[in-house]
Amino acid sequence: KALDSGYKIVIILAGLLNSLRRQTQIRADESIIGVDSSLSAKNLSLSEKLIGVGKNNRNQRPFSVTTVDGDFNKQYATQLQFEIEHSANPLVFVVKKNVSVIKNLIEWFKNNNLDLSKFPLLLIDDEADHASINTNNDDLNPTRTNQRIRELLELFQKNVYLGYTATPFANIFINPETDDDMMNDLFPENFIMTLDPPSNYFGADKIFLDQNSNVIRTVNDFSDFLPFSHKISQIPSFIPESLKTSIRVYILACTIRILRDQKNDHNSMLV
């Protein structure tokens, strides 16, 4: 909707980890860009690179500055030399919520553009409660990530900050009256909206509150293995049958995933 309304730049802060940024870039490629950025360096026709919305014959396709394998690092920022004004298409950046990366982005905008005030910016902050909040007591000395995000917003006269998080408590408790030499803090200025979970969401409500749920298996053979009240140094002397069964089920689940060509995907079991 922002792109259709004329926004020229979309920046997505995709968490602190490379895996999260890569995951978000894949989603952006499919649902916003329409081109598989993992194939950008390969000698393929454009039609072979199209995915998701790109197959709907869009006339003006946004350009992804970042790729599945390439964040906005210092080397890439130095090599990338062009003015936003010379790009006919909107620009999309999917970057880690990292002080250095955001600094690279700020410097790139400053070093390659004469007037940023005429370009509307949409900044999407994923997991907005993580690292984005100013956790320092002194309002004139914000934490570095918070400061960089605000500096980035301040570059653009027209900007929208949109934060997403499943746990917005830290964002709600930002002091909305605080000013400093950059701009107001990242308090949700205009609205806070609760999103309904999708129909296929499977979370705590369905596991613990749904009376028809059968995903919980009650374990009754643990009291001799590890009683509720025990010393921190206690070492179990045997493995109960329920835990043996769980381990076997986990191994079978991993085996099934390997047979589904998911051998490189993450598997975990918590005991």
Side-chain angles (χ1 to χ4, degrees):
K1 288 182 177 180
L3 293 173
D4 292 340
S5 299
Y7 276 77
K8 184 72 172 181
I9 302 166
V10 176
I11 299 173
I12 305 175
L13 301 179
L16 303 181
L17 305 175
N18 285 321
S19 57
L20 291 177
R21 194 209 70 83
R22 189 175 191 278
Q23 181 184 85
T24 306
Q25 180 74 58
I26 292 173
R27 291 175 176 172
D29 288 352
E30 294 176 347
S31 59
I32 304 174
I33 311 300
V35 177
D36 188 347
S37 64
S38 67
L39 303 177
S40 58
K42 295 188 178 181
N43 186 21
L44 298 171
S45 65
L46 178 60
S47 61
E48 293 177 286
K49 299 178 184 178
L50 295 180
I51 57 172
V53 296
K55 297 181 179 180
N56 295 332
N57 298 320
R58 294 178 54 159
N59 294 326
Q60 188 180 45
R61 187 177 296 108
F63 174 70
S64 179
V65 181
T66 54
T67 67
V68 167
D69 301 312
D71 199 350
F72 206 78
N73 57 39
K74 187 71 173 179
Q75 180 180 359
Y76 183 55
T78 303
Q79 294 173 350
L80 193 69
Q81 302 290 329
F82 71 88
E83 288 187 55
I84 297 173
E85 193 168 11
H86 295 162
S87 175
N89 298 342
L91 304 179
V92 178
F93 301 77
V94 181
V95 300
K96 283 198 304 295
K97 196 188 303 185
N98 174 283
V99 173
S100 298
V101 172
I102 301 175
K103 181 183 178 182
N104 294 337
L105 201 53
I106 293 170
E107 291 179 348
W108 183 84
F109 280 126
K110 288 181 177 179
N111 295 340
N112 292 280
N113 300 277
L114 292 173
D115 184 12
L116 292 170
S117 63
K118 52 188 170 183
F119 304 120
L121 164 70
L122 170 63
L123 178 62
I124 299 175
D125 188 355
D126 195 9
E127 301 294 349
D129 63 320
H130 194 192
S132 301
I133 308 298
N134 177 14
T135 53
N136 283 354
N137 292 326
D138 183 359
D139 293 320
L140 297 179
N141 182 27
T143 51
R144 293 172 65 200
T145 303
N146 178 275
Q147 177 181 344
R148 293 300 185 200
I149 293 173
R150 291 152 68 185
E151 287 177 357
L152 184 58
L153 289 167
E154 185 70 2
L155 291 178
F156 299 87
Q157 186 172 338
K158 184 174 184 178
N159 64 69
V160 171
Y161 173 83
L162 180 60
Y164 283 90
T165 176
T167 51
F169 307 107
N171 308 77
I172 292 172
F173 287 116
I174 295 173
N175 182 1
E177 305 300 328
T178 299
D179 294 329
D180 61 23
D181 57 353
M182 287 177 292
M183 61 180 295
N184 292 335
D185 206 345
L186 303 178
F187 180 79
E189 181 179 3
N190 297 104
F191 62 87
I192 301 172
M193 182 177 180
T194 302
L195 300 178
D196 294 327
S199 59
N200 62 346
Y201 176 74
F202 191 84
D205 282 359
K206 289 189 176 182
I207 294 175
F208 298 108
L209 300 182
D210 187 350
Q211 300 298 321
N212 298 319
S213 174
N214 63 350
V215 298
I216 298 293
R217 302 292 185 268
T218 302
V219 174
N220 296 315
D221 60 350
F222 67 88
S223 57
D224 293 333
F225 165 68
L226 194 66
F228 277 126
S229 178
H230 62 272
K231 294 182 178 180
I232 194 171
S233 58
Q234 179 172 337
I235 300 176
S237 58
F238 69 99
I239 296 179
E241 288 302 316
S242 60
L243 183 53
K244 291 180 181 179
T245 301
S246 298
I247 293 172
R248 292 179 187 127
V249 170
Y250 172 66
I251 293 172
L252 288 173
C254 293
T255 304
I256 293 170
R257 296 193 69 190
I258 291 172
L259 293 174
R260 291 176 177 171
D261 294 327
Q262 298 174 355
K263 60 183 179 182
N264 293 324
D265 292 347
H266 181 71
N267 294 284
S268 62
M269 177 181 182
L270 177 63
V271 178

